[in-house]
Amino acid sequence: MKVGIIGAGAAGLAAAYELTRQGCQAEVFEQAPFVGGQASTFLVGGGRLERGYHHLFVSDQDMVELIQELGLGDKLAWLESKVGVFHRGKVWPFSTPLDLLRFRPLPFWQRVRVGLWSLALQRTRDWRKFEDITAQEWLARHMGRHACEVIWEPLLRGKFGAHFDQVSMVWLWGKFYLRVASRKGAGRREVLGYPMGSFGEVFDTLAQRVAQQGGRISLSSSVRRINVQDNAAVGLEVALPGREPEALAYDAVIATTPSYVFTQLVPPMPPAYQEKLERARYLAAVVLVLALDRPLSNIYWMNIADRQIPFVGVIEHTNLVDRSLYGGKHLVYLTNYPGRDSELYQKSGEQLLQEFIPHLRKINPEFDASWVLEHYHHRVDGAQPIVGRQYSQRIPDHRTPIRNLYLANTTQIYPEDRGTNYSVRLGRQVARLLLADQGKPWPAA
Ligand SMILES: Cc1cc2nc3c(=O)[nH]c(=O)nc-3n(C[C@H](O)[C@H](O)[C@H](O)COP(=O)(O)OP(=O)(O)OC[C@H]3O[C@@H](n4cnc5c(N)ncnc54)[C@H](O)[C@@H]3O)c2cc1C
């Protein structure tokens, strides 16, 4: 049994790992010159840093187990995180319930109301009751319109831009319910996980393990088409580096690309499935990474509740992970999630730097452009699926209508928000599904 896998991100590598562990042949094709996809890294100050900020929550058990299986368990550190909100010229700490009670932009009784409802959400297991309501509607109804505008709307806008008012309450529930597991101790401070050699090391090690188990990973290799005969996937057309595209035969195919890429690789599917693929909407991530000669703030994760500022999050990585890993540099991500057709997405790193820098003074009045030693610009396509109401009805099955063709991408992660943990789980699950399907009639046919 020989399986072709499209994409060497968390899902594709995890699928290859599971298949090769179970004695199957797996070949992974990745268009980028590196593995890791959205969780891949680049070098800064001699250390490996994720292109987009990454950490783990305590609830991310599939990633924790994988890291242990790969022999990297002793490199996984659990570190106290400091969260803040920038509101009307001031940075407010937002790490503990006590911080909420001290958050003066809301009247005291509203802070109590927000606190009580947050507690209730953290204890609610049944997310299905939130399927039919948007987060904005739910928050305004329960926590109050003012609290919604001050605290939650910036967070939703931060992740979903102009689509903020369409986001399902299930998405926000996930943030409350799953993150509470990451809070520890009497002060209920959040701890976050970070593999000290970087997520890049985890996925490189996973790729090596796949190879040791007999799998093959081809980088800089773009899949142009999934070959289909008699409604069954029979192989891939792949452009290997420096070669003309060629047809390679497989018994089954797993695609881990975003849905809008997948539809380009296959003939149109039956309408019910095709519609699910075409209705999947994503936002991209634009990330500017600054290497500074001193800290910008003492906060790790800062939500920007100020629409005049052109970025929505300031993530100061070296307030979580020691800067000695990066030659002593202080590393700050400035981030936004625009559509791919937006002006912000099109801008160069230089343009973003010029646009973003004046706003850093609002966060730290002492900030000076001379603090910036280096800057790096990254764009991530298909970074965040937009999770609307009744989302469970819109998720395409892993088994596509084409026999032996499987889809494993981030639009299928639900009710949790996308993340490396869930892509690893997804990849392994789909590999097991594929193996279990062998010799059986194709259910979706
Ligand atoms: C800014 C940002 C911050 C994040 N923060 C966190 C975090 O803190 N913690 C966390 O756990 N997760 C985080 N995530 C999410 C996490 O990185 C992703 O959910 C996860 O890595 C997705 O893995 P994947 O394999 O499903 O998809 P991808 O990583 O997108 O992998 C798909 C791969 O397919 C390849 N591909 C596409 N088309 C083709 C083709 N035609 N031929 C060959 N290859 C192809 C792509 O190049 C890509 O490598 C973050 C993501 C972003 C963007």
Side-chain angles (χ1 to χ4, degrees):
M1 168 90 174
K2 201 168 161 192
V3 181
I5 298 173
I6 313 171
L13 289 177
Y17 173 59
E18 193 58 36
L19 288 168
T20 50
R21 236 167 58 105
Q22 303 213 26
C24 225
Q25 269 183 284
E27 294 190 357
V28 187
F29 298 97
E30 168 57 54
Q31 66 187 6
F34 45 77
V35 302
Q38 294 182 33
S40 59
T41 51
F42 68 109
L43 275 180
V44 52
R48 295 181 72 172
L49 180 74
E50 293 67 33
R51 289 185 165 77
Y53 38 89
H54 270 72
H55 56 246
L56 294 175
F57 297 113
V58 174
S59 53
D60 287 340
Q61 281 308 307
D62 293 76
M63 264 299 270
V64 172
E65 279 167 26
L66 177 72
I67 289 171
Q68 283 162 353
E69 276 174 56
L70 295 175
L72 297 172
D74 54 354
K75 286 199 173 180
L76 179 60
W78 292 97
L79 306 156
E80 203 169 279
S81 103
K82 272 192 184 165
V83 180
V85 176
F86 178 81
H87 178 80
R88 297 219 174 141
K90 186 169 164 22
V91 178
W92 297 85
F94 223 82
S95 300
T96 65
L98 204 61
D99 289 336
L100 171 64
L101 289 177
R102 291 184 186 133
F103 185 65
R104 285 204 308 275
L106 286 184
F108 186 74
W109 64 270
Q110 284 186 18
R111 294 175 226 166
V112 174
R113 188 175 171 191
V114 168
L116 291 174
W117 275 110
S118 302
L119 214 61
L121 281 175
Q122 288 162 8
R123 293 187 175 162
T124 302
R125 276 168 179 268
D126 180 15
W127 51 270
R128 283 180 183 79
K129 65 182 178 194
F130 301 126
E131 272 243 289
D132 210 20
I133 188 164
T134 65
Q136 201 197 24
E137 286 162 352
W138 191 95
L139 291 165
R141 196 175 297 168
H142 294 88
M143 294 193 184
R145 193 158 294 283
H146 184 51
C148 180
E149 276 166 20
V150 172
I151 304 180
W152 308 112
E153 205 178 288
L155 192 141
L156 290 167
R157 276 185 189 278
K159 259 303 172 64
F160 297 99
H163 306 273
F164 79 100
D165 54 353
Q166 296 158 33
V167 176
S168 162
M169 183 58 198
V170 176
W171 182 85
L172 196 68
W173 164 86
K175 296 280 162 204
F176 280 96
Y177 183 72
L178 297 169
R179 286 189 73 156
V180 74
S182 272
R183 292 185 190 276
K184 282 192 172 162
R188 313 263 295 154
R189 282 203 172 274
E190 183 172 65
V191 290
L192 298 175
Y194 188 78
M196 297 309 275
S198 82
F199 281 72
E201 184 183 52
V202 173
F203 291 115
D204 279 356
T205 311
L206 182 58
Q208 283 159 17
R209 189 64 68 85
V210 169
Q212 282 159 10
Q213 291 174 172
R216 207 164 71 189
I217 296 162
S218 302
L219 300 178
S220 306
S221 300
S222 175
V223 172
R224 302 287 172 86
R225 197 166 52 205
I226 298 167
N227 291 331
V228 176
Q229 265 172 26
D230 299 330
N231 200 43
V234 292
L236 299 172
E237 187 181 302
V238 187
L240 292 161
R243 288 179 24 195
E244 286 298 310
E246 58 199 280
L248 303 172
Y250 294 102
D251 302 307
V253 168
I254 300 176
T256 70
T257 69
S259 296
Y260 59 85
V261 175
F262 182 61
T263 52
Q264 305 300 308
L265 301 177
V266 276
M269 304 266 183
Y273 197 87
Q274 184 76 17
E275 197 190 323
K276 286 181 178 168
L277 296 175
E278 283 174 5
R279 281 187 65 183
R281 289 174 301 160
Y282 292 84
L283 291 167
V286 164
V287 183
L288 189 72
V289 188
L290 304 181
L292 305 179
D293 65 0
R294 66 199 84 180
L296 180 69
S297 77
N298 65 352
I299 303 278
Y300 166 59
W301 186 281
M302 195 187 303
N303 290 314
I304 303 296
D306 181 337
R307 289 178 61 195
Q308 305 307 313
I309 297 183
F311 44 86
V312 294
V314 177
I315 295 102
E316 196 157 346
H317 180 75
T318 40
N319 285 340
L320 185 72
V321 176
D322 200 280
R323 69 192 167 97
S324 60
L325 291 183
Y326 314 97
K329 291 173 181 162
H330 297 262
L331 304 177
V332 181
Y333 293 95
L334 306 177
T335 179
N336 209 329
Y337 284 85
R340 277 196 305 167
D341 46 2
S342 70
E343 216 185 303
L344 194 71
Y345 184 78
Q346 309 300 331
K347 286 188 174 165
S348 69
E350 277 307 318
Q351 287 172 319
L352 290 177
L353 187 71
Q354 298 314 320
E355 187 173 335
F356 286 5
I357 271 207
H359 297 278
L360 293 177
R361 276 239 169 96
K362 298 179 183 169
I363 292 163
N364 178 349
E366 288 176 16
F367 174 80
D368 188 86
S370 65
W371 296 8
V372 181
L373 304 172
E374 293 141 37
H375 68 277
Y376 304 87
H377 173 216
H378 302 296
R379 297 187 184 107
V380 186
D381 276 359
Q384 175 71 51
I386 301 176
V387 179
R389 282 190 298 188
Q390 292 295 344
Y391 190 79
S392 61
Q393 309 300 312
R394 294 197 229 147
I395 301 175
D397 284 346
H398 296 307
R399 293 184 186 106
T400 72
I402 295 174
R403 205 158 20 104
N404 299 335
L405 176 57
Y406 295 80
L407 179 68
N409 75 19
T410 54
T411 65
Q412 296 164 310
I413 294 167
Y414 188 73
E416 304 89 354
D417 190 19
R418 57 85 173 120
T420 51
N421 183 68
Y422 302 104
S423 286
V424 163
R425 181 194 290 179
L426 188 70
R428 294 184 87 162
Q429 271 173 356
V430 171
R432 289 187 196 124
L433 181 70
L434 184 157
L435 291 170
D437 279 349
Q438 294 318 295
K440 293 185 188 160
W442 188 246

